[in-house]
Amino acid sequence: MTASPPSGAPSVTAGARSVTLRSGVYADSVRLMQVSRTVAALPGVTGVIVAMATPLNLELATNMGLAPEEAASPEQLLIGVAAEDDEALAAAVAAVETALAERERSTGSAEAIPQRTIGGGLAERTTDGPALAIVSVPGQYAVAEAADAIAAGRSVLVFSDGVPVEHEVALKRAAHDAGVLVMGPDCGTAIVSGVALGFANVVRPGPVGLVAASGTGAQQVSCLLDMAGVGVSHVLGVGGRDLSEAVGGLATLDALAALDADPATERVMVVSKPPAPSVAATVEAAAATLSVPVRSAVLSAETPDLTAAVEGLLRDMGLDVPVWPSRPGAAEAAAPGAVLKGLYSGGTLADETMLIAAPALGEIRSNTPLSPHLHLALDPSAQDQFAPGHVVIDFGDDALTVGRAHPMIDPTLRLEAIAAVAASDEPAVLLLDVVLGYGADPDPAGALVPALSAARDAAEHPLPVVIALVGTEGDPQGWSKQADALAAAGAAVFASNSAATRYALDLLGAAR
Amino acid sequence: MTLGGLLDGPPAIVAAGVDVFSDALRAQGADVHDVEWRPPHFGDPADLAVLALDRRRAAANRTAVERLLAAGSVLVDVRPAREVLDIGDRMLLHSGPPLLWENASGPMRGALIGACLFEGWASSVEDAEKILASGEVTLDPCHHHRTVGPMAGVTSPSMWMWCLEDPVSGGKAYCNLNEGLGKVLRMGAFNDEVQERLRWMRDVLGPVLSKAVRGSIDAGNDPIDVKGILAQMLQMGDEGHNRNRAGSLMALRELSPSIVAVDAPSSDIAAVLKFAGGNEHFFLNLGMPTAKLALDAARDVPGSTMLTVMSRNGTEFGIQTAGTGDRWFTGPAQTPVGLFLGDYGPEDANPDIGDSAIMETYGVGGFAMAAAPAIVRFVGGTVPDALATTERMYQLTLAENPAMAIPIMGFRGSPTGIDVLKVARTGWLPQINTGMAGRVAGTGQVGAGLVQPPQECFEQALAALAEAARTA
């Protein structure tokens, strides 16, 4: 151990230094640089070099005023430390020893880095067998994830909305070429081989396959089939825009072909809101070529009734039409001059209601009206007022779900609307849908019952409440449990939305 | 239409985005894997969509990757640059994208000055600076001449070049001879010591290596399989960019017998062996043109989004892709983060410099960090960090190179073929290991560390690829 002043090293001023050479020690250059760095950070240390005494390192040491006095060979470890005073020097030299003696803790295997794309996620799978991609990313980015799935030969459910229609068309064409299906965009309901995806119900397995451009429409039909003891093979969503002119039914056609080829499917039902006329014709023509019978539950002014379509299907199968479950509730009359106030979470159910009610009631205004001139601009913040006359509102419409969850999850806006109806002067019949199943509120009746009771108490006129309760006994919420709770609060409850609508029309008709 | 077996049984689920469904699916006992999706780090959504939907892309990338993986590399000769490169009379090649003298950083200037002195175009530093500033000496990227160069990469007509060939495509690539460590031209030093060494390399090293290489081939031996050495060194703790020790020794082993057989004074033979044997980065100048051969084979594949070049000139970082030809996409070179030699610190480091990022472009170097865990300790990381880095790079790349197997990853092939679209979608940038030059010309190497390209390069490349897809 030497501590001596440097020879001709102008970079160093006062202080203490220590320069040693050690033999029989070897450490990797990186390790040594780490040691140097650690010690250089100690208080009072003005210079440190811990390195094998190669010519290069000796030159560096000389520049730092830490060259050894005796000859050094590259097999030796050079330890040079300069510090402000002896105390700091001693601490630094000790730190060098400690750092050199440290062993890195033995390490386990690589931390798994989670995949960040659908492509990566699919590629990582080690097992074969059916696989499905689900894409819920913001709409403008959904195309890359969905394209990954199609490129990997997998079908994809696109829950995202706001997907440009050009992306949808390109994806569906690519999917067709690859022999897979794009369920969506804006598809929130599917049942594939018994797995419920999104807002879907627990439905018994059976021989009927559904192709659905509508979520709640699919839910209504599949629940009625379950209640009839028939059940479904698969519910394939195709996205709300598939039957538009721009998309031309691309996914619907492929879904029909797939169900045709599926051994578990003996008959098919197509469920949709009103489609573009040309596309409806295309689908009908394709359906006619299949080996399985296809029945339409495509809503129109002429065929406004999903339940009737299910009943037709049951008759096709040679089955009796069951009495659809219901509860009478308080069974009260409406006040004279009462109007219809429909508050819906399911867009297709709202449409069905308007299509059934329009011939009887005339003009029904809505945020999703049957005709543009009936459009109702909504102000969700105007809580005390409710639009006058016959009104049906779809609370699941995009405009009302900005910054909040879907009404099947978050009932806030509907509950406020119920209060507003009660607070207004107009006599009314309140008609609501309540949709059960996966993804929905675990206890819709729990929030509704107090709101309904309060509304009926507060209303100036009698306020009959009619509820279309779409669900099954097998759902997490349980159909009967929910129905009983709602009926106890005075509501008339129906498993069929068209039955609920007709009951509401009866009340209104009797009140004219 | 059977939808790929979708309806045959309960499907396994891979999900991206808000996991609204995943909990309900797990409650049903479904097999669900949520990927960690996040919005793309850059790129116009319309551009990303165009590329995602480009029907050419999958096949084009497959073609580019196959050509890259198939390429070989053998050492066929050692010749002066003026004989084998299309290098003008008063031209100097340099690393990275095109560069103007007035924008050159310290080490690049030092190397250019040093090369002018070496070639005898100037007899003083001031004169050298004059002819460089006036344009009397023209500058061009090495990459424009099938050449690569480490650090400043300055290549002049009298320098001897490793001449490599890809037996599969017949392509050629070149790189000058590595000077060793310390004060060297490629780090921007240009003093007498540097000049003397350069002259010795021109008068002794180059000719001896040339006779050795040609002598062996002329005697009927197969040329040295340089790709084979690169593959082996990954299994010996090297990664091919910042750590080349095993590779350098293997190259020395291959060359020694033919060096000894050269008809030259034994003192020269001894000096050549000592020089090569004492330089742990001797192999770097063979590894880099090996990577260059493979990436050149993958050039000009319309619709491909794979990188063919990553390179820096000390001022800018530049990339090229297989789908955009010879276009450079550039951004400011970043300063590496790492450990320093001796007294040096972060303020002494020059921005990123060198064609050696071609190694990462090929899938080794920083991409094979798991093969050389020591490298990650440059930034105080641990061995798992090295493994994690390589794992991340798999998500940026199109393929795994079975020829470049990484033992600790179960001999999995290194992540190869950087995809611009994957860089945008994952938010990760390629990871490079590199030496650091001192920012003041003449300093030499000040440390080593980790660095990434600037995002701008990839933003520009993405936009250009989307434009090309639209007009395809």
Side-chain angles (χ1 to χ4, degrees):
Chain A
M1 185 80 122
T2 55
S4 54
S7 40
S11 61
V12 180
T13 49
R17 67 195 52 253
S18 156
V19 182
T20 36
L21 286 165
R22 194 172 300 179
S23 298
V25 171
Y26 174 76
D28 186 87
S29 61
V30 176
R31 178 109 185 78
L32 296 177
M33 282 160 77
Q34 278 183 318
V35 171
S36 298
R37 188 170 73 172
T38 305
V39 175
L42 293 176
V45 171
T46 53
V48 58
I49 178 165
V50 181
M52 300 312 288
T54 61
L56 176 61
N57 289 332
L58 287 173
E59 198 184 316
L60 286 168
T62 306
N63 291 343
M64 296 166 71
L66 290 173
E69 287 186 333
E70 63 262 48
S73 88
E75 284 79 48
Q76 290 179 299
L77 178 66
L78 168 68
I79 303 172
V81 185
E84 280 164 8
D85 55 48
D86 287 329
E87 201 183 304
L89 180 68
V93 168
V96 170
E97 297 305 321
T98 311
L100 283 174
E102 233 168 57
R103 289 249 160 282
E104 194 169 311
R105 232 165 292 121
S106 163
T107 57
S109 53
E111 148 209 357
I113 307 290
Q115 293 290 332
R116 289 191 169 181
T117 64
I118 288 288
L122 286 171
E124 214 177 40
R125 290 183 67 245
T126 44
T127 52
D128 235 332
L132 175 72
I134 298 182
V135 176
S136 317
V137 307
Q140 78 261 43
Y141 297 123
V143 63
E145 304 307 317
D148 274 0
I150 296 166
R154 300 298 188 184
S155 296
V156 53
L157 182 128
V158 180
F159 179 68
S160 314
D161 63 8
V163 175
V165 66
E166 318 80 67
H167 297 181
E168 177 174 356
V169 172
L171 286 170
K172 286 178 174 176
R173 289 205 176 119
H176 176 80
D177 291 345
V180 297
L181 188 67
V182 173
M183 291 192 275
D186 205 7
C187 172
T189 299
I191 302 177
V192 176
S193 301
V195 179
L197 298 156
F199 300 107
N201 302 87
V202 178
V203 178
R204 75 186 71 217
V208 180
L210 301 189
V211 177
S214 142
T216 44
Q219 291 186 273
Q220 168 78 107
V221 169
S222 59
C223 289
L224 291 175
L225 287 171
D226 178 86
M227 286 175 160
V230 171
V232 302
S233 56
H234 311 280
V235 174
L236 299 179
V238 294
R241 195 168 48 190
D242 192 61
L243 294 171
S244 68
E245 193 85 44
V247 184
L250 289 173
T252 299
L253 295 170
D254 285 349
L256 284 172
L259 289 173
D260 194 31
D262 173 46
T265 301
E266 290 166 17
R267 42 188 81 238
V268 172
M269 178 159 263
V270 177
V271 184
S272 169
K273 303 187 202 188
S278 63
V279 182
T282 308
V283 170
E284 265 173 50
T289 67
L290 304 185
S291 64
V292 292
V294 180
R295 188 173 254 283
S296 163
V298 170
L299 293 176
S300 68
E302 295 77 36
T303 58
D305 191 329
L306 292 172
T307 304
V310 174
E311 291 171 353
L313 180 72
L314 294 174
R315 279 184 219 108
D316 288 349
M317 296 171 74
L319 299 170
D320 290 331
V321 171
V323 174
W324 301 114
S326 65
R327 301 280 187 279
E332 68 212 310
V339 293
L340 178 68
K341 303 294 186 191
L343 307 177
Y344 272 78
S345 63
T348 303
L349 301 176
D351 283 348
E352 184 186 35
T353 292
M354 284 191 281
L355 285 168
I356 290 172
L361 298 184
E363 297 200 331
I364 304 172
R365 293 197 297 151
S366 171
N367 62 329
T368 55
L370 296 179
S371 318
H373 75 280
L374 296 169
H375 187 260
L376 180 67
L378 283 175
D379 181 4
S381 66
Q383 297 193 5
D384 289 341
Q385 300 164 14
F386 203 86
H390 301 300
V391 171
V392 170
I393 297 176
D394 172 12
F395 284 85
D397 184 57
D398 286 348
L400 294 174
T401 52
V402 174
R404 62 172 69 238
H406 194 276
M408 274 157 56
I409 302 171
D410 175 6
T412 310
L413 281 186
R414 273 220 296 188
L415 297 178
E416 286 170 4
I418 290 169
V421 167
S424 75
D425 272 342
E426 254 190 322
V429 169
L430 200 52
L431 177 59
L432 302 162
D433 65 346
V434 173
V435 183
L436 307 179
Y438 286 112
D441 188 330
D443 182 13
L448 264 178
V449 161
L452 290 173
S453 304
R456 284 155 60 78
D457 286 343
E460 204 181 300
H461 311 278
L463 183 60
V465 177
V466 183
I467 294 181
L469 180 64
V470 175
T472 66
E473 283 310 324
D475 280 340
Q477 302 87 346
W479 194 91
S480 291
K481 246 180 97 194
Q482 290 286 310
D484 291 341
L486 293 166
V493 183
F494 298 85
S496 156
N497 181 55
S498 68
T501 304
R502 291 181 206 287
Y503 182 80
L505 289 177
D506 285 345
L507 291 178
L508 293 167
R512 283 216 199 90
Chain B
M1 173 138 277
T2 53
L3 306 184
L6 178 69
L7 306 184
D8 295 347
I13 309 287
V14 175
V18 175
D19 58 353
V20 282
F21 297 7
S22 298
D23 292 337
L25 284 167
R26 289 195 181 96
Q28 298 174 61
D31 167 11
V32 183
H33 171 46
D34 288 302
V35 302
E36 268 194 20
W37 188 87
R38 59 212 56 215
H41 228 236
F42 58 86
D44 187 325
D47 284 351
L48 292 164
V50 157
L51 289 173
L53 292 169
D54 185 359
R55 300 282 202 134
R56 307 169 305 160
R57 184 172 50 89
N61 280 339
R62 231 181 342 265
T63 298
V65 163
E66 278 165 8
R67 291 183 190 168
L68 181 163
L69 295 178
S73 171
V74 296
L75 177 62
V76 297
D77 209 341
V78 183
R79 303 299 320 153
R82 67 165 55 80
E83 273 183 37
V84 287
L85 301 185
D86 178 19
I87 186 169
D89 230 15
R90 280 278 199 273
M91 180 184 278
L92 291 176
L93 307 184
H94 61 81
S95 60
L99 177 69
L100 295 174
W101 166 256
E102 57 253 35
N103 296 331
S105 62
M108 180 63 82
R109 288 191 175 210
L112 291 167
I113 289 166
C116 289
L117 294 172
F118 168 60
E119 291 291 339
W121 299 337
S123 48
S124 71
V125 171
E126 294 70 33
D127 283 347
E129 285 171 336
K130 267 203 208 96
I131 57 176
L132 284 161
S134 70
E136 195 183 316
V137 171
T138 54
L139 306 179
D140 211 25
C142 290
H143 270 295
H144 292 186
H145 299 262
R146 301 178 182 274
T147 299
V148 282
M151 302 313 279
V154 171
T155 302
S156 68
S158 305
M159 290 183 182
W160 289 75
M161 311 292 288
W162 294 116
C163 304
L164 275 68
E165 202 172 280
D166 169 16
V168 173
S169 70
K172 298 188 193 307
Y174 307 91
C175 186
N176 62 16
L177 308 175
N178 195 289
E179 304 159 79
L181 307 173
K183 289 219 185 320
V184 288
L185 187 78
R186 74 175 183 282
M187 297 283 180
F190 50 81
N191 63 8
D192 288 342
E193 179 196 330
V194 173
Q195 296 297 326
E196 198 183 308
R197 190 186 303 111
L198 287 172
R199 286 192 291 270
W200 177 81
M201 291 169 72
R202 176 194 65 200
D203 298 334
V204 178
L205 180 69
V208 168
L209 288 174
S210 177
K211 288 185 191 126
V213 171
R214 284 312 315 171
S216 175
I217 293 172
D218 291 343
N221 297 311
D222 286 335
I224 293 174
D225 178 0
V226 184
K227 181 179 177 182
I229 296 177
L230 184 58
Q232 287 174 70
M233 59 198 265
L234 287 187
Q235 310 203 356
M236 296 169 69
D238 284 351
E239 34 75 287
H241 184 161
N242 227 349
R243 185 144 299 219
N244 293 286
R245 248 172 243 184
S248 297
L249 286 172
M250 281 191 280
L252 183 66
R253 178 180 70 174
E254 295 294 316
L255 289 165
S256 300
S258 33
I259 289 172
V260 168
V262 168
D263 182 15
S266 62
S267 54
D268 284 352
I269 302 293
V272 166
L273 289 171
K274 184 170 173 192
F275 183 81
N279 177 8
E280 67 177 62
H281 286 300
F282 183 70
F283 182 81
L284 179 64
N285 293 43
L286 287 164
M288 286 172 57
T290 296
K292 175 71 172 154
L293 282 171
L295 289 157
D296 274 357
R299 294 181 88 83
D300 298 314
V301 181
S304 170
T305 51
M306 190 183 89
L307 287 195
T308 48
V309 176
M310 284 199 295
S311 184
R312 333 68 119 208
N313 59 29
T315 307
E316 284 199 304
F317 196 116
I319 68 174
Q320 298 186 353
T321 86
T324 50
D326 294 335
R327 280 176 70 177
W328 284 100
F329 304 104
T330 62
Q334 309 294 291
T335 303
V337 172
L339 289 177
F340 293 90
L341 297 168
D343 244 355
Y344 297 119
E347 63 287 349
D348 297 309
N350 198 67
D352 204 15
I353 186 168
D355 285 329
S356 50
I358 196 86
M359 304 314 287
E360 281 78 11
T361 316
Y362 182 59
V364 297
F367 278 47
M369 211 184 294
I375 291 302
V376 76
R377 295 189 296 169
F378 280 133
V379 283
T382 59
V383 172
D385 293 337
L387 303 181
T389 297
T390 295
E391 287 274 6
R392 268 194 290 279
M393 296 303 105
Y394 282 113
Q395 295 195 37
L396 296 188
T397 48
L398 294 164
E400 302 181 8
N401 188 345
M404 302 291 145
I406 304 175
I408 198 164
M409 310 206 68
F411 293 90
R412 200 173 165 188
S414 72
T416 309
I418 300 166
D419 181 355
V420 174
L421 194 54
K422 289 191 186 197
V423 171
R425 289 172 68 190
T426 59
W428 286 318
L429 290 165
Q431 187 62 64
I432 298 168
N433 292 334
T434 186
M436 288 192 247
R439 66 166 60 244
V440 172
T443 305
Q445 181 166 3
V446 298
L450 302 177
V451 74
Q452 293 178 326
Q455 188 170 289
E456 285 96 309
C457 297
F458 291 89
E459 289 172 4
Q460 293 166 32
L462 187 84
L465 286 163
E467 195 47 48
R470 284 189 186 95
T471 56

